[in-house]
Amino acid sequence: MKDYGKYFKTPSIDDARKRVKGSEVIDFKLSDQFLNFGKEKKYVIQTYGCQGNEADSERMSGILEKMSFTEANDLSEADIILLNTCAIRGNAENRVFGEMGRLKSFKRNNPNLLLGVCGCMPQEESVVNKLLKQYPYVDLIFGTHNIHKIPEYLYTAYLDKERVVEVYSSEGDIVEDIPKIRDNKHKAWINIMYGCDEFCTYCIVPYTRGRERSRKPAAILAEVVKLVEDGYQEITLLGQNVNAYGQDLESGYSFADLLRDLNDTGINRIRFTTSHPRDLNEDTIKAMADCDHVMEHLHLPVQSGSDSILKKMNRKYTREDYLKLVKQLKAHIPDISITTDIIVGFPNESEDDFLETLSLVKEVGFEGAFTFIYSKREGTPAAKYEDDVPEDEKKRRLYRLNDVTNDGYLNGNKRFENTIVEVLVDSVSKNDKEKLSGYSRHNKLVNFTGNEESIGKIVKVRILEAKTWHLLGEEVN
Ligand code: SAH
Ligand code: SF4
Ligand code: F3S
């Protein structure tokens, strides 16, 4: 492999921070010269990170298969391996660096193997510098804003044998019509918007994903109508802050409008993630309540129960605002299940701050929570905050918090004992081949005895017993 030729562009965090208005919508088109390029070549894509990354991997597979690549069964037969990475916390990044170490031996065994790193990590200046210095065997580096250019990058890397590094610091256009190979035949991810403008002080996403920009309603609706025709049962709308959907469109069309229009497409189940409490309004809550196909579950990250920490996090709501939202949600959707994300050990979080978080968790009665220890992200405002909380104290707080959130999982499951719930059946259960498994409307994992022909369908299940992490039941006819 020669050194850099046609492509050499590294990111700058200062440019990534800028917000410039106005993105165009362009349509993806694969030029004929690339159509057969991947014949007899195989690919592997490893995905780290959030649903947004999973959706991006489905697009990358779509482009590769359009170029006639086929998916490899395992790493040893791959001609190209792409790591679609996540930058959200230090441990997410360490996993990727660990994997790259392991892949070095595959490169040694097969010198023609192309190894690429893409996704959120290359959007970070410090990561690209490290890759260039310490991982010279990585052939291809690109970010989140230029997936549509994969064909050119592969062409250059394979035929010209040039290393490709191209990361845009800021978002470009919204690219529609990128082909997708969806991972699942009855549940689909739908991006409704890209980027994030919230700038929570701990978070890297506004830098790795660029400015908030919404897809046009017509494009989203057309995608869902097609999925209904293809027999899909469930969609999950994706955005870092779905409640801000439409704020950048001139039409005044909002997230609530989108929910109502999607409800009429005939899709059976509508979920969405993630909601930011600041932008969740009563209009949206009413739309959720009115729309039969919108599920009775909301993931509403709170991050902390302490006003002083919320302020330092730049979350732009108070504990009281959050509790008010929960009240509104329960007033309109009495049996709603609410789950959340929480960070412990934010710089200078005191024992009292932490106790406020614990008491909020109990007061809301969260039925699930992703809990994290704060991880310093270079380039974010919080990275400059001084911190006097020792690492082992942060760990203790995480364990104490998890004890309380685990109770919430169990209580949330208990309320379904001896009831009948609707389950969209995913597959045979991973841990018990005698059972099927799927999710209820309230997003509870249900393992149950039933008929394998139900896979991909919505069936009724009688709940016999609630465990902490799942419900046990039997299919009823
Ligand atoms: N856009 C979503 C969340 C995206 S990241 C939202 O705002 O709700 C998913 C979760 O990772 C966040 O909710 C937060 O709890 C956690 N997270 C983000 N940055 C983090 C960091 N630097 N350290 C620890 N956890 C973090
Ligand atoms: Fe990160 Fe905050 Fe944006 Fe979520 S809303 S992606 S936590 S900056
Ligand atoms: Fe990770 Fe990027 Fe998603 S940082 S959480 S993959 S937006």
Side-chain angles (χ1 to χ4, degrees):
M1 177 79 56
K2 278 188 277 185
D3 248 352
Y4 321 103
K6 203 145 109 205
Y7 299 101
F8 188 75
K9 193 180 194 58
T10 59
S12 134
I13 193 121
D14 288 333
D15 289 344
R17 198 172 287 125
K18 289 184 193 140
R19 290 298 183 258
V20 186
K21 281 224 168 343
S23 25
E24 300 288 310
V25 178
I26 55 169
D27 286 333
F28 177 82
K29 188 154 182 345
L30 186 69
S31 101
D32 289 348
Q33 71 181 121
F34 299 129
L35 278 174
N36 293 317
F37 182 69
K39 266 225 158 81
E40 281 154 37
K41 293 195 189 82
K42 299 202 166 171
Y43 75 91
V44 169
I45 300 176
Q46 291 186 9
T47 311
Y48 302 78
C50 63
Q51 294 95 332
N53 255 18
E54 285 177 33
D56 283 345
S57 288
E58 293 184 345
R59 277 188 207 104
M60 294 198 265
S61 300
I63 295 174
L64 290 173
E65 298 207 7
K66 206 114 225 163
M67 293 172 75
S68 308
F69 284 90
T70 49
E71 191 172 8
N73 292 317
D74 64 72
L75 288 170
S76 60
E77 62 175 45
D79 300 284
I80 164 166
I81 300 175
L82 292 177
L83 305 186
N84 190 10
T85 63
C86 172
I88 200 80
R89 283 170 290 276
N91 53 10
E93 296 199 345
N94 292 340
R95 273 175 62 210
V96 171
F97 283 119
E99 181 64 6
M100 283 192 311
R102 191 172 78 99
L103 293 177
K104 192 172 181 180
S105 62
F106 287 87
K107 281 278 305 192
R108 230 180 276 125
N109 296 341
N110 174 9
N112 290 325
L113 171 67
L114 263 191
L115 179 59
V117 179
C118 56
C120 283
M121 278 170 66
Q123 293 296 144
E124 294 177 279
E125 213 172 306
S126 56
V127 167
V128 173
N129 290 340
K130 181 166 169 178
L131 287 174
L132 296 180
K133 242 198 223 138
Q134 294 175 29
Y135 298 84
Y137 54 92
V138 172
D139 307 296
L140 177 58
I141 300 174
F142 60 95
T144 57
H145 302 308
N146 44 355
I147 286 174
H148 58 288
K149 290 183 73 180
I150 287 179
E152 307 170 31
Y153 297 154
L154 290 183
Y155 206 81
T156 304
Y158 265 120
L159 295 187
D160 302 338
K161 300 245 175 288
E162 278 173 6
R163 186 164 291 131
V164 172
V165 178
E166 186 160 77
V167 183
Y168 301 157
S169 299
S170 61
E171 71 290 335
D173 305 315
I174 290 184
V175 188
E176 289 289 352
D177 291 341
I178 296 185
K180 288 188 193 111
I181 303 291
R182 295 192 193 267
D183 235 15
N184 194 300
K185 297 284 164 267
H186 53 271
K187 300 202 284 199
W189 308 119
I190 307 278
N191 289 95
I192 60 167
M193 59 193 300
Y194 302 98
C196 182
D197 285 350
E198 291 294 329
F199 288 98
C200 302
T201 54
Y202 50 82
C203 185
I204 194 76
V205 173
Y207 312 88
T208 66
R209 292 281 171 172
R211 186 172 65 83
E212 248 167 46
R213 52 229 190 269
S214 304
R215 284 177 71 197
K216 296 260 164 29
I220 300 170
L221 288 164
E223 188 174 353
V224 175
V225 166
K226 176 80 180 42
L227 287 170
V228 174
E229 282 166 15
D230 292 346
Y232 275 78
Q233 301 280 353
E234 179 175 299
I235 52 170
T236 301
L237 310 177
L238 298 181
Q240 292 300 341
N241 174 12
V242 290
N243 300 106
Y245 173 78
Q247 287 176 8
D248 59 323
L249 298 173
E250 269 147 31
S251 57
Y253 190 90
S254 68
F255 185 57
D257 296 327
L258 183 66
L259 286 182
R260 290 182 192 279
D261 284 345
L262 287 169
N263 196 53
D264 294 337
T265 57
I267 191 79
N268 273 323
R269 289 182 157 200
I270 303 170
R271 301 188 186 278
F272 51 88
T273 197
T274 308
S275 282
H276 190 299
R278 187 184 78 141
D279 293 305
L280 176 63
N281 56 26
E282 195 158 18
D283 248 11
T284 303
I285 297 175
K286 281 192 183 138
M288 288 171 68
D290 290 346
C291 296
D292 292 344
H293 298 296
V294 175
M295 298 296 99
E296 293 82 3
H297 166 239
L298 181 66
H299 188 66
L300 191 64
V302 67
Q303 313 299 358
S304 169
S306 148
D307 280 342
S308 97
I309 297 290
L310 285 171
K311 193 151 201 276
K312 287 181 197 152
M313 288 177 161
N314 191 31
R315 289 290 288 183
K316 305 183 202 96
Y317 54 84
T318 61
R319 175 191 176 98
E320 200 190 317
D321 296 334
Y322 189 91
L323 288 170
K324 214 162 112 195
L325 276 179
V326 170
K327 219 171 181 179
Q328 266 180 354
L329 282 160
K330 289 187 177 170
H332 287 284
I333 312 160
D335 68 337
I336 192 168
S337 161
I338 303 176
T339 56
T340 200
D341 290 349
I342 296 169
I343 297 175
V344 298
F346 190 76
N348 292 318
E349 180 189 63
S350 67
E351 172 68 14
D352 279 352
D353 290 322
F354 175 65
L355 289 175
E356 296 252 356
T357 298
L358 282 189
S359 82
L360 180 98
V361 170
K362 288 182 194 151
E363 193 169 339
V364 174
F366 289 118
E367 297 192 8
F370 297 120
T371 56
F372 310 102
I373 293 180
Y374 167 74
S375 167
K376 185 171 171 171
R377 307 281 70 216
E378 213 172 291
T380 62
K384 295 202 190 77
Y385 297 174
E386 271 182 55
D387 186 12
D388 62 1
V389 189
E391 241 355 87
D392 56 344
E393 174 55 24
K394 295 186 180 193
K395 280 195 190 127
R396 272 197 298 276
R397 285 185 192 163
L398 185 72
Y399 300 144
R400 285 164 69 196
L401 174 62
N402 286 346
D403 277 345
V404 179
T405 55
N406 290 353
D407 290 346
Y409 274 101
L410 184 62
N411 292 337
N413 280 344
K414 280 265 182 221
R415 67 190 177 103
F416 293 98
E417 266 179 349
N418 303 315
T419 68
I420 290 179
V421 300
E422 286 175 10
V423 175
L424 171 54
V425 189
D426 282 325
S427 60
V428 171
S429 161
K430 284 189 194 78
N431 300 324
D432 181 351
K433 297 279 163 274
E434 301 294 302
K435 289 201 165 65
L436 299 175
S437 117
Y439 284 85
S440 72
R441 291 179 64 99
H442 295 78
N443 209 32
K444 310 285 178 188
L445 175 62
V446 183
N447 292 323
F448 63 100
T449 44
N451 189 335
E452 267 190 47
E453 277 168 22
S454 301
I455 292 174
K457 296 186 187 139
I458 296 173
V459 299
K460 290 200 161 46
V461 175
R462 177 178 295 112
I463 300 303
L464 303 171
E465 196 187 344
K467 303 275 192 190
T468 302
W469 310 117
H470 66 270
L471 294 165
L472 285 169
E474 62 189 10
E475 190 171 335
V476 289
N477 295 310

